[in-house]
Amino acid sequence: ISELIYGLINAFNLLPVGGIIVVVSFHSIEDKITKFFFNNYSKNENSSRYLPETNKKIKYFNLIHKKPILPTRKEIILNPPSRSSKLRYAIKVKDNCDFSELFKKFKYLIDIENLKF
């Protein structure tokens, strides 16, 4: 899990503006992290549409599709392990992002991964 989180951050830092990050996940936790990463850093909406605009978040990605791309029936027949795969992608539109929200949200998973028995 920590490798996925650090991999997403490093991919963001290496990618030039206008580049595309593509992630294929095979597990629900991987998809949850990827979905949060793309959605949280691509929205700049207010907390409520009825309140006056406050500090909007900076938009770092442009999402083309909100939903993941799933394998077709034909692909699943040809490659059964692909049935659990989900593909998400986003276009980078801005540099210099602080990923503290990502670490805060998934701190419990990183802590579990670091447990010694």
Side-chain angles (χ1 to χ4, degrees):
I1 298 302
S2 62
E3 290 177 12
L4 173 62
I5 293 170
Y6 289 116
L8 289 169
I9 292 168
N10 289 330
F12 175 85
N13 291 330
L14 289 172
L15 197 66
V17 173
I20 300 172
I21 295 180
V22 179
V23 179
V24 178
S25 59
F26 291 94
H27 191 274
S28 60
I29 292 176
E30 294 171 351
D31 189 55
K32 182 178 180 179
I33 292 168
T34 306
K35 180 180 178 180
F36 177 83
F37 181 74
F38 287 146
N39 285 340
N40 189 54
Y41 297 109
S42 68
K43 294 180 182 175
N44 58 359
E45 48 190 46
N46 209 11
S47 59
S48 173
R49 64 181 173 175
Y50 301 110
L51 294 174
E53 286 191 21
T54 57
N55 297 338
K56 283 191 164 188
K57 290 170 38 176
I58 298 171
K59 185 175 177 178
Y60 293 97
F61 291 111
N62 185 14
L63 290 180
I64 306 301
H65 296 285
K66 284 179 82 173
K67 303 279 184 183
I69 298 172
L70 302 173
T72 61
R73 175 168 294 214
K74 182 180 177 184
E75 184 176 356
I76 293 172
I77 291 169
L78 294 173
N79 181 15
S82 72
R83 69 186 177 277
S84 62
S85 65
K86 293 182 179 182
L87 185 140
R88 294 182 186 272
Y89 67 98
I91 301 169
K92 182 177 173 180
V93 294
K94 191 168 175 72
D95 276 327
N96 302 326
C97 183
D98 173 32
F99 293 105
S100 58
E101 290 178 50
L102 181 67
F103 284 110
K104 190 178 357 175
K105 172 114 173 126
F106 296 107
K107 181 183 182 318
Y108 72 99
L109 291 174
I110 295 171
D111 291 345
I112 289 171
E113 197 174 63
N114 292 330
L115 287 177
K116 304 277 191 237
F117 293 101

